[in-house]
Amino acid sequence: MSDPGGISVLGICGSLRKASYNMATLRTAIALKPANMAVTVADISQIPPYNEDVRAEGFPPTVETLRRQIAAADALLFACPEYNYSMSGVLKNAIDWASRPPDQPFAGKPCAIIGAAAGMAGSARAQYDLRRSCVFLDMHPLNKPEVLIGQAQTKFDANGKLTDEAARGFIRDMMVNLAAWAQQIAKKA
Ligand SMILES: Cc1cc2nc3c(=O)[nH]c(=O)nc-3n(C[C@H](O)[C@H](O)[C@H](O)COP(=O)(O)O)c2cc1C
């Protein structure tokens, strides 16, 4: 653990829109986190489209910042929208940039995934694509509970508050499990 008294988590949201249900879900997770956890949210809005020629010249400052934040965090929390049955390009692009050598910062990190989508499946397909990337990135995704908020337009009020009690319960449980998972992995490291 970077801080013996607590677990530091970096939240990364794959939607940039102001009224994003995924950002609202991330805010809910922060509100329901256990006391021994601190969550900061990364700003990935200014990361340029990935270009290997640009990387060869050096990481852009926005990517450097993200890589530093990932490396410093004890765990990551992805809020994963579903676009065309996969994760959003914005999220994939940020992951692609941050994942490039040297010192790939995702390696060995515990992470959890939450998601909200308009469809019934609640971003499940996108989340499973993200889990697939976790394999290559050598991350340790938390398995349960899954947080899949389907028909998101019916589950939040006008202020972006998640009103679905069952979903709030899953998120609360996930945050407790993520804290335990991060501690377990840190002990093995
Ligand atoms: C390009 C695009 C593709 C989408 N594809 C899906 C999809 O495959 N499955 C789904 O449930 N919703 C899909 N949606 C609807 C999103 O779930 C909805 O816009 C949601 O609000 C996006 O997350 P956000 O609120 O965090 O921005 C799509 C939306 C966009 C803009």
Side-chain angles (χ1 to χ4, degrees), residues 111-113 131 140-145 173-175 177-178 181:
C111 70
I113 304 170
R131 282 179 184 272
H140 302 296
L142 182 74
N143 284 333
K144 289 193 172 172
D173 291 348
M174 165 180 278
M175 296 305 274
N177 289 4
L178 178 60
W181 184 227

Side-chain angles (χ1 to χ4, degrees), residues 15 17 19-23 81-85 116-119 125:
S15 172
R17 75 187 188 94
S20 161
Y21 295 123
N22 285 279
M23 188 56 95
E82 183 165 286
Y83 280 7
N84 297 309
Y85 281 16
R125 292 161 291 230

